[in-house]
């Protein structure tokens, strides 16, 4: 166990450093170039690491390119990474404010709340958040008001669907471990919805509430003894260590499900928002704001594109015969 987690974490730290080195100071053109030659700065407040968010950030870049932006010209992206330690978000948000970012892009409820608390004037684009109204980030999705807009999705419904997919794949399934981050207030609301759905499926959910990424290895040892499957959630407390997590789950013969990172790392299933498409569309908000639109005038949109990814190789290794209906439902099959 220590060897696997140690090597996986060392590899991820190296990749994170490399990714951060290539992302700091990335520049983009700006349509409002005529504003006295001012170079606009896009702040990015990430809950995880540069490595963990590489696919999402590339989606943002693609969106900017689609809108005619050309790298290396007249705008800069200033990244701040919490590395799964959400207590760092307020200070990181404050750093972006002191750096005079022209717009701040955030991910998730904790980062959006941190940015909101840091500034009431700099525009904030939520690339993705669960329920901004329930979280107290905005008063309304149709008329967000203030300096915040972006995209949302109902993560509770999404996580419920994951439990349904697990049960459909393994009808005898009785116990599922659920990873929760105590620093993400949205998690408890999501867990309540999951519990109601699980009871109807005769499945018991076992919550594992973690305060920091360092608690995951020990928690996983308990999961292996208590459950038949694990739902990782979408939080960086688990996704920041996804390689080691899926490897340990496979060794323990646990079914695993979460966002797309899970099957791509060797886990069994992924169901969630298409992160590339979502972040690509976040660029549309950034572009509108940099060209003068007020966030208050841009309604919060609900992410509409979801994807189900099935790692058939992982399923076969667990001795799981995936039902034909489930297999046909998959948007992508990894063999």
């Amino acid at each position: 166990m220590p060897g696997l987690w140690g090597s996986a974490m060392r590899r991820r730290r190296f990749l994170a450093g490399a990714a951060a080195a290539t992302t700091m100071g990335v520049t983009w053109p700006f349509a409002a170039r005529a504003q006295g030659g001012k170079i606009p700065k896009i702040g990015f407040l990430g809950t995880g690491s540069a490595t963990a968010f590489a696919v999402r950030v590339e989606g943002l870049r693609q969106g900017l390119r689609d809108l005619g932006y050309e790298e290396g010209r007249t705008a800069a992206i200033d990244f701040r990474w919490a590395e799964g330690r959400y207590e760092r978000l307020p200070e990181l948000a404050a750093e972006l404010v002191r750096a005079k970012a022209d717009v701040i892009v955030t991910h998730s409820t904790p980062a959006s709340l941190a940015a909101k608390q840091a500034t009431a004037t700099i525009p904030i684009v939520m690339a993705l958040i669960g329920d901004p109204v329930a979280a107290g980030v905005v008063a309304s999705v149709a008329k967000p008001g203030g300096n915040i807009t972006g995209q949302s999705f109902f993560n509770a419904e999404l996580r419920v669907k994951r439990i349904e997919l697990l049960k459909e794949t393994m009808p005898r399934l009785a116990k599922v471990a659920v990873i929760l981050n105590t620093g993400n207030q949205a998690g408890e609301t999501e867990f309540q919805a999951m519990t109601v759905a699980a009871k109807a499926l005769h499945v018991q959910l076992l919550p594992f509430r973690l305060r920091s990424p360092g608690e995951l290895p020990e928690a996983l040892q308990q999961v292996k003894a208590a459950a038949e499957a694990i739902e990782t959630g979408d939080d960086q407390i688990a996704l920041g260590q996804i390689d080691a997590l899926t490897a340990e789950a496979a060794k323990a013969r646990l079914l695993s499900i979460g966002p797309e990172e899970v099957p791509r790392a060797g886990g069994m299933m992924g169901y969630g928002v298409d992160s590339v498409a979502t972040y690509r569309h976040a660029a549309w908000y950034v572009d509108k704001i940099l060209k003068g639109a007020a966030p208050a005038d841009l309604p919060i949109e609900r992410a509409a594109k979801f994807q189900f990814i099935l790692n058939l190789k992982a399923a076969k290794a667990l001795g799981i015969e995936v039902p034909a209906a489930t297999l046909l439902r998959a948007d992508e099959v990894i063999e």
Side-chain angles (χ1 to χ4, degrees), residues 75-97:
I77 302 181
D78 193 357
F79 291 88
R80 294 294 186 277
W81 301 107
E83 304 284 348
R85 294 169 53 196
Y86 290 1
E87 70 275 10
R88 297 182 60 203
L89 288 169
E91 176 54 30
L92 294 176
E95 286 182 12
L96 290 174
V97 173

Side-chain angles (χ1 to χ4, degrees), residues 172-204:
R172 62 178 176 80
L173 183 69
K175 294 182 178 180
V176 178
V178 177
I179 301 298
L180 300 168
N181 186 342
T182 58
N184 188 343
Q185 66 184 62
E188 292 302 324
T189 301
E190 294 162 6
F191 184 71
Q192 291 173 13
M194 296 169 73
T195 300
V196 173
K199 285 182 178 178
L201 296 170
H202 305 290
V203 172
Q204 180 183 0

Side-chain angles (χ1 to χ4, degrees), residues 14-103:
F14 170 79
L15 292 173
T22 59
T23 53
M24 290 298 292
V26 171
T27 57
W28 300 95
F30 179 44
R33 189 177 179 185
Q35 296 180 354
K38 177 182 179 293
I39 297 176
K41 183 181 293 184
I42 302 168
F44 189 99
L45 183 60
T47 54
S49 66
T51 301
F53 272 73
V55 173
R56 295 180 175 91
V57 170
E58 180 56 28
L60 179 64
R61 290 193 173 112
Q62 287 179 11
L64 291 168
R65 287 194 293 267
D66 292 345
L67 291 165
Y69 289 76
E70 192 178 327
E71 187 174 355
R73 301 248 345 244
T74 56
I77 302 181
D78 193 357
F79 291 88
R80 294 294 186 277
W81 301 107
E83 304 284 348
R85 294 169 53 196
Y86 290 1
E87 70 275 10
R88 297 182 60 203
L89 288 169
E91 176 54 30
L92 294 176
E95 286 182 12
L96 290 174
V97 173
R98 290 195 294 270
K100 298 182 179 179
D102 293 287
V103 58

Side-chain angles (χ1 to χ4, degrees), residues 107-233:
H107 171 89
S108 81
T109 298
S112 299
L113 284 171
K116 178 182 180 179
Q117 291 163 3
T119 178
T121 55
I122 297 174
I124 297 168
V125 173
M126 301 177 295
L128 198 60
I129 187 173
D131 187 337
V133 177
V137 180
V138 297
S140 166
V141 294
K143 298 180 179 180
N147 62 322
I148 306 175
T149 187
Q151 301 171 101
S152 71
F153 71 112
F154 292 140
N155 205 30
E157 294 178 4
L158 185 151
R159 297 185 77 176
V160 164
K161 182 64 177 178
R162 291 175 185 161
I163 303 303
E164 293 173 351
L165 286 168
L166 285 172
K167 183 68 172 181
E168 180 181 294
T169 304
M170 181 190 279
R172 62 178 176 80
L173 183 69
K175 294 182 178 180
V176 178
V178 177
I179 301 298
L180 300 168
N181 186 342
T182 58
N184 188 343
Q185 66 184 62
E188 292 302 324
T189 301
E190 294 162 6
F191 184 71
Q192 291 173 13
M194 296 169 73
T195 300
V196 173
K199 285 182 178 178
L201 296 170
H202 305 290
V203 172
Q204 180 183 0
L205 299 186
L206 308 175
F208 285 80
R209 296 178 171 88
L210 311 182
R211 292 169 297 180
S212 70
E215 294 180 342
L216 185 60
E218 182 179 348
L220 195 55
Q221 289 299 309
Q222 299 176 40
V223 169
K224 290 159 64 173
E228 302 153 289
I230 182 170
E231 193 273 338
T232 67

Side-chain angles (χ1 to χ4, degrees), residues 242-331:
I242 196 62
D243 291 338
L245 189 157
T246 52
E248 285 297 315
K251 283 176 57 179
R253 302 193 66 77
L254 292 170
L255 281 70
S256 55
I257 193 168
E260 64 182 286
E261 287 89 346
V262 172
R264 299 199 191 287
M268 202 173 89
M269 291 187 287
Y271 180 78
V273 173
D274 185 328
S275 60
V276 172
T278 303
Y279 270 73
R280 183 186 295 125
H281 190 56
W284 178 86
Y285 282 94
V286 172
D287 177 57
K288 290 291 184 183
I289 289 169
L290 290 179
K291 288 177 177 175
D297 297 330
L298 300 174
I300 294 171
E301 298 180 13
R302 183 177 180 183
K305 190 172 182 180
F306 296 82
Q307 58 183 353
F308 172 38
I309 303 173
L310 173 64
N311 189 324
L312 201 55
K313 181 179 178 181
K316 289 178 179 178
L318 293 171
I320 300 295
E321 186 173 342
V322 179
T326 306
L327 188 59
L328 289 171
R329 188 180 299 146
D331 299 293

